Amino acid sequence: MRIVAFALLLLACAACTSAPRPVIHAGPPPNPQTLSALEIRIYDLVQNERHRIDPDAKGLMLDSELIGAARKHSLDMAERNYLGHASPSGETTATIIMDEDAQFQGLLGENIALVHFSPQDGIDVDGMAHQFVALWLKSPKHRDNLSVPVYDRTGVGAAAKGDAVYVTQLFASDMGLPPPPSGAADGRSGNADSGAQAGIPQTGTAPASAVPVPVAAPGR
């Protein structure tokens, strides 16, 4: 039986500013094309930073499964007004992926962040992408997470609500594990730790969080 192991959970949340939020007049929400462009720009920047940090790190290929899970988690954070690896009901990107692909195995990593913007001015894709990546690079654990050399797949998902944009970036590697045998049970076990929710006051620019989730092969 495959086991999703959360024992090596690494959850890092930096301090958040508590300055009063300015009064912001609502504008039109960002269109999907803008958010898609933001996702791609973040992917490009992380790819560049990854190789700058470790020239031997594997290149990251965009993965539709990871993109779907990242978008779903970012949208949930936006709609339910939280910033964390686990939703208020306990759902994580790992459970999202396992619900859709019970054969998934390997190493799954995650960085999340929130950035505020002025709806009247809209989203500056390049500027905001640099903001997100800068947040992760400022934290050693987030920086380490995005530069793990064995990761070879990624997915970025962005969602917006009000004056906030939420981004989730997932990283994955099968670690060279063989495919699970046909008919193998999925990896959720009763002793799996889903991890703590990281609720963060949403004032100013919020910090990022990172959580590598190893997924063991059958019999491990």
Side-chain angles (χ1 to χ4, degrees):
M1 175 179 292
R2 296 172 58 232
I3 297 175
V4 179
F6 291 90
L8 299 181
L9 179 69
L10 298 177
L11 183 60
C13 291
C16 176
T17 61
S18 57
R21 290 266 295 280
V23 175
I24 296 176
H25 300 286
N31 62 52
Q33 291 77 18
T34 298
L35 293 177
S36 294
L38 177 64
E39 294 169 352
I40 293 298
R41 187 61 180 133
I42 290 172
Y43 161 73
D44 288 337
L45 292 174
V46 168
Q47 183 91 292
N48 291 338
E49 289 296 334
R50 176 180 169 81
H51 289 295
R52 184 182 63 81
I53 295 167
D54 183 353
D56 295 326
K58 292 183 177 180
L60 296 173
M61 298 293 293
L62 287 170
D63 182 287
S64 60
E65 185 175 44
L66 298 180
I67 292 171
R71 286 176 173 172
K72 184 173 182 180
H73 186 61
S74 291
L75 181 60
D76 189 65
M77 289 192 293
E79 292 295 331
R80 300 168 77 176
N81 194 31
Y82 72 94
L83 182 67
H85 296 290
S87 73
S89 54
E91 187 179 49
T92 67
T93 50
T95 60
I96 291 171
I97 291 172
M98 293 297 294
D99 284 341
E100 298 181 359
D101 179 9
Q103 302 300 305
F104 180 89
Q105 61 183 15
L107 186 69
L108 179 68
E110 176 182 280
N111 279 350
I112 59 175
L114 175 157
V115 167
H116 290 287
F117 72 104
S118 168
Q120 284 187 312
D121 296 333
I123 291 176
D124 172 5
V125 169
D126 187 65
M128 182 172 282
H130 276 88
Q131 280 186 273
F132 277 106
V133 176
L135 284 171
W136 293 329
L137 293 175
K138 286 179 182 177
S139 164
K141 289 186 177 180
H142 304 85
R143 183 177 183 272
D144 289 346
N145 199 39
L146 66 83
S147 60
V148 172
V150 297
Y151 288 147
D152 55 12
R153 306 192 310 279
T154 191
V156 184
K161 186 174 183 181
D163 68 338
V165 175
Y166 297 77
V167 166
T168 301
Q169 181 165 19
L170 297 176
F171 308 91
S173 169
D174 62 13
M175 302 292 288
L177 297 171
S182 179
D186 72 38
R188 285 157 292 181
S189 66
N191 61 357
D193 179 7
S194 64
Q197 179 182 343
I200 297 176
Q202 294 170 26
T203 56
T205 301
S209 299
V211 51
V213 183
V215 183
R220 294 193 180 185

